Amino acid sequence: MRALVSKRSTPFAELADVPDPTPLPDEALVEVKAFSLNRGETRRLEQLQPGTVTGWDLAGTVRQAAADGSGPPEGARVVGLMDAGAWAELAAVKTERLAALPDGITLEEAAALPVAGLTALRSLEVAGFMLGKRVLVTGASGGVGRFAIQLAKLAGAHVTGISRRTEGLKELGADELAPEIDLDGPIYEAILDAVGGPVLGAALQRVAPGGTVVSFASTVTDLVSYPSREFFARAPRAQLYAFFLFDIIDHTRSGATDLRRLADLVANKRLDPQIDLTLSWTDAGQAIEALLDRRVNGKAVLTVD
């Protein structure tokens, strides 16, 4: 089969022939039709052994159902999440991370859901019941941020987005937008942070008593610094939660059901995957460079053709 594999020179990926995967009993063999790019996987491409097949998000059809009888049947349209291996014509996907798709959602839309959509969904669920609460989303113009704004608004929250690029975020449901966290501004019951460094330090100073700061990414390398008494003042029970999607999904074993929840919202026109760039995987280099240069507002999706 063909796959998009890592290489050491720009754009750090190229098409090559690799062996077909051999599914385990709890894995379905999926014919991949589309996959999305995430900044985390693209940033580490040049550090991978050349020829490595990476990739987390995929959508396609089941060529061979899992031997243990779990998961979607042969021929089903599906969306899935992998530790690695999605950037290929065929992928062996654990059925507990694979969901059948409803009518009303395209494979390109589905491919945008796994990492970004699940991170937003699960981060908000870590923070608890959202109705009537104030929610702050940093990195709001990114893939996770755009999902988080929409999902928090659907849950009845008042949503503030932090980003220097604000185009389209009001239309997604953001009640307020700002380029940075106001240390003299309101406090928030839930804060989702994609930035780290000084932004996370500011977030710890604006979390409400009993509130939660969910740190799910670190796009800057600066150390986190904050006056500790400001965080103590948020007692009782204000918390900082370290979020790593793959561990959480393995713990909850909710990957399939959560993916179907997101897909149903898209199919019912209640959630927009915010795909900003769609290209053939033969043009992967162009998409990777655009993502790394922060020229993608939302999600970048590649089609397998």
Side-chain angles (χ1 to χ4, degrees):
M1 70 172 184
R2 291 187 305 163
L4 198 60
V5 303
S6 61
K7 66 173 186 175
R8 290 282 165 80
S9 57
T10 57
F12 308 119
E14 62 185 354
L15 284 173
D17 290 324
V18 300
D20 291 359
T22 302
L24 297 173
D26 64 344
E27 295 177 339
L29 186 64
V30 176
E31 187 174 342
V32 180
K33 299 296 185 183
F35 56 85
S36 69
L37 304 179
N38 297 283
R39 188 167 284 110
E41 63 200 352
T42 54
R43 282 168 56 188
R44 67 190 184 103
L45 276 172
E46 61 181 313
Q47 278 81 49
L48 296 176
Q49 181 70 25
T52 300
V53 182
T54 188
W56 301 331
D57 301 345
L58 64 85
T61 58
V62 176
R63 177 178 289 189
Q64 178 183 315
D68 66 1
S70 63
E74 180 180 334
R77 297 191 321 138
V78 291
V79 57
L81 172 70
M82 302 184 69
D83 290 332
W87 294 3
E89 291 179 315
L90 295 172
V93 187
K94 289 183 178 295
T95 54
E96 67 178 27
R97 293 182 178 182
L98 189 67
L101 292 171
D103 294 335
I105 179 173
T106 68
L107 292 176
E108 290 81 7
E109 290 173 327
L113 295 177
V115 166
L118 290 175
T119 297
L121 178 70
R122 278 281 146 190
S123 292
L124 288 167
E125 294 195 342
V126 163
F129 189 60
M130 289 290 109
L131 184 63
K133 292 184 177 180
R134 295 188 70 101
V135 175
L136 182 73
V137 179
T138 74
S141 64
V144 177
R146 289 170 183 269
F147 277 116
I149 288 172
Q150 295 177 79
L151 292 171
K153 196 63 181 178
L154 282 173
H158 180 281
V159 186
T160 298
I162 300 297
S163 178
R164 287 182 170 81
R165 297 182 297 173
T166 61
E167 299 85 357
L169 299 185
K170 282 278 190 181
E171 290 76 7
L172 292 180
D175 297 286
E176 299 178 38
L177 295 168
E180 59 187 22
I181 297 174
D182 182 358
L183 294 180
D184 296 317
I187 57 176
Y188 303 89
E189 284 84 3
I191 301 176
L192 276 58
D193 178 52
V195 182
V199 176
L200 179 55
L204 291 170
Q205 298 175 60
R206 303 316 302 157
V207 62
T212 302
V213 179
V214 180
S215 173
F216 63 83
S218 181
T219 57
V220 300
T221 58
D222 307 54
L223 294 176
V224 178
S225 177
Y226 66 96
S228 58
R229 68 180 61 186
E230 286 291 333
F231 190 54
F232 296 155
R234 309 304 168 188
R237 297 183 309 280
Q239 63 175 330
L240 170 62
Y241 188 98
F243 182 100
F244 183 64
L245 175 65
F246 294 93
D247 283 350
I248 287 174
I249 291 298
D250 286 343
H251 175 71
T252 61
R253 306 192 72 172
S254 63
T257 54
D258 288 344
L259 284 169
R260 180 59 191 242
R261 291 165 65 192
L262 292 169
D264 282 340
L265 289 171
V266 175
N268 292 322
K269 309 303 181 188
R270 302 181 67 199
L271 182 67
D272 184 342
Q274 291 285 283
I275 298 173
D276 187 49
L277 179 66
T278 303
L279 293 172
S280 166
W281 73 337
T282 59
D283 297 317
Q286 180 181 338
I288 290 168
E289 289 178 349
L291 192 67
L292 292 176
D293 291 343
R294 299 188 179 278
R295 290 184 278 113
V296 178
N297 291 319
K299 294 295 294 179
V301 172
L302 298 181
T303 57
V304 177
D305 46 28

